[in-house]
Amino acid sequence: MALRFYNTMTRKKETFRPLRKGVVTIYNCGPTVYSYAHIGNFRAYVFADILRRYLEYRGFRVRQVMNITDIGHMTMDEEADGKGEDKIEMMARKEKKDPWQVARFYEKAFYEDSAKLNLSKAMVYPTATDHIKEMIRIVEKLVKKGYAYEVNGSVFYSVDSFKDYGKLSGNPIENLKIGARLEVNPDKKKPYDFALWIKDPKHMMQWDSPWGKGYPGWHIECSAMSMKYLGETVDIHTGGEDNIFPHHECEIAQSEGANGKKFVRYWMHTRHLLVNGEKMSKSKGNFFTLRDLLKKGHDPKSIRYLLLSGHYRIRLNFTENGLGSAAETLKRLEELVSNLRGTHKGKPNPEVKKLVEKVRKDFETAMDDDLNISLALGKVFDFVREMNKLVSGSGGISKQDAKLALETIIGFDKVLGLGLDKIKAAVGEKIRIKDSVFTIHWQGVKSRTEVERLIKKRDVHRKGKEWKEADKIRDNLNDMGYILEDTETGIRVKGTGAKKA
Ligand code: AMP
Ligand code: ZN
């Protein structure tokens, strides 16, 4: 099946074909570096990472750019009108630092957090403040072409001049008129026109421009940086759903106005991470940063797993319980990898090849369908279940079969990024029970005393060649929710959590 993505622009799933064969250009709207990114923001970036990794898995070469917003993003930017205070400057006042220090501090923190979440590095992370010249050049072009006008040292985009304004968000200009609830800047010709360049002597960060000193609006940075690094048309542009309007709508007006060319071929937006049904956001105060969660002892891999495990076009409600379940689920995957890495001496089993072929096909079919990761993971866990049965079954599995299964899972992990390639073989623990020493691989076993007693008892029967009795103890353990397996390196005891009444 062909690879298909849902395009916000056409509101349909479309077959994905990049502009240049074999190469995909992606622009991700990145963080505004005025504080630590919260895990809602990271849902958008984990999605961007999965998208990139899956394209690479599919054999494309990916050129990914993620911008760093360090100027011009206002506290009231949910309106096209962009009012309020510059977020970076707001934090600078609060932290009594200069805005540059604030930006560089949180930019660094963002890279650290991204590394903890195992996000692949973008080709470049351009900052807005390093691209003022490029932005000015586009604004000049827009003025020249009649899309923008200057008043008292500020430049605004004339929304009426761009007939396609509203095509992405479905917000027609009539709605904007009603929506422009903010007090209208008297310099603007129409209340819904948005700022490209702003004159404000009180603003801390200022640059020279053909219109005098000022600073750029938020939207123009993405048009400028996308064009500079990826050309006038990019294959994929991502962001959270709140970026659709006004940010991406304005980017289209700017880029297509300036270049007269299609700006983006596929628009992909991540639905929000919610807390109690509401968007996780800085302004609501209902957020967790990655650092908050790590301090509480959560594992970054579980956080990554939680953020990637729901389909990106379905909102995901965050709870710490949910994070606990994500950790458990991930552990199942890690355990199978660990077991497969152990020594195996079973007979070759043609079933393994069949299972591998099936899960590869199912994984790819699900991911090809607009990155349906929840379905893809469901298929992976069907495979985990089947493999566990074979590994713990009486016949065990052969070295070759274990290798094949392992390669398959590690192959999926190129997309999932859960660090499964670093999971080692289960290491046995040497313990003395009465007068004998056993090597035991414990897996998910909480209370060990009773299990140890039965292992010892079984050992006595085995030594006395009382096989029936020994097997009965294994069955008893099974009923208690433990799977016992004799491996070359010791006894593997696995808690299944499924206790028989
Ligand atoms: P900002 O740092 O505010 O510019 O936001 C950075 C990115 O995070 C943008 O792409 C937003 O759309 C996205 N975002 C913000 N809040 C959430 C959320 N609760 N869930 C998912 N994405 C979000
Ligand atoms: Zn952007």
Side-chain angles (χ1 to χ4, degrees), residues 219-234:
H219 317 303
I220 193 71
E221 68 172 81
C222 289
S223 289
M225 296 191 271
S226 171
M227 201 191 303
K228 173 165 177 176
Y229 295 97
L230 300 170
E232 291 176 344
T233 302
V234 296

Side-chain angles (χ1 to χ4, degrees), residues 231-289:
E232 291 176 344
T233 302
V234 296
D235 287 314
I236 304 175
H237 190 121
T238 74
E241 60 178 310
D242 58 321
N243 283 158
I244 297 174
F245 185 85
H247 188 50
H248 290 164
E249 199 70 78
C250 296
E251 284 184 30
I252 295 172
Q254 295 163 162
S255 301
E256 298 194 353
N259 300 327
K261 274 193 192 152
K262 189 176 198 157
F263 174 41
V264 170
R265 305 178 69 240
Y266 302 86
W267 284 97
M268 297 180 79
H269 292 98
T270 321
R271 293 296 206 106
H272 284 147
L273 184 69
L274 310 179
V275 180
N276 295 326
E278 270 196 288
K279 176 191 172 193
M280 179 179 287
S281 78
K282 287 269 157 55
S283 55
K284 290 198 187 89
N286 61 348
F287 63 90
F288 290 93
T289 65

Side-chain angles (χ1 to χ4, degrees), residues 2-135:
L3 180 56
R4 294 189 321 149
F5 293 143
Y6 180 89
N7 188 346
T8 311
M9 180 63 84
T10 58
R11 293 161 186 80
K12 283 199 302 252
K13 283 187 204 168
E14 296 173 8
T15 299
F16 176 72
R17 280 191 205 92
L19 203 55
R20 267 178 63 199
K21 201 166 172 276
V23 181
V24 183
T25 52
I26 305 183
Y27 186 90
N28 310 124
C29 278
T32 306
V33 284
Y34 72 111
S35 60
Y36 296 115
H38 57 66
I39 56 161
N41 303 130
F42 276 113
R43 180 176 201 214
Y45 309 133
V46 167
F47 162 69
D49 187 47
I50 295 289
L51 168 67
R52 174 222 170 126
R53 284 167 177 266
Y54 190 63
L55 286 165
E56 287 174 342
Y57 176 98
R58 272 292 189 205
F60 292 100
R61 201 154 65 75
V62 177
R63 307 186 61 206
Q64 182 194 5
V65 173
M66 182 183 285
N67 71 298
I68 302 288
T69 300
D70 55 356
I71 180 82
H73 194 172
M74 313 302 275
T75 48
M76 286 146 98
D77 254 338
E78 71 278 10
E79 299 269 340
D81 204 15
K83 285 228 178 104
E85 212 181 340
D86 188 311
K87 292 185 179 187
I88 307 276
E89 295 204 354
M90 176 188 75
M91 194 51 83
R93 275 185 257 279
K94 202 168 144 194
E95 294 189 346
K96 299 196 173 34
K97 287 184 188 161
D98 84 57
W100 299 95
Q101 277 176 310
V102 169
R104 298 295 74 83
F105 179 86
Y106 290 110
E107 183 187 353
K108 184 166 164 275
F110 175 71
Y111 298 139
E112 288 164 5
D113 290 355
S114 298
K116 289 224 166 75
L117 286 174
N118 200 22
L119 301 179
S120 307
K121 275 203 184 121
M123 181 177 81
V124 53
Y125 294 91
T127 61
T129 52
D130 273 343
H131 294 79
I132 304 290
K133 255 199 287 158
E134 286 84 346
M135 293 188 226

Side-chain angles (χ1 to χ4, degrees), residues 478-481 498-501:
N478 234 317
D479 292 347
M480 288 162 64
K499 206 175 198 169
K500 261 196 199 162

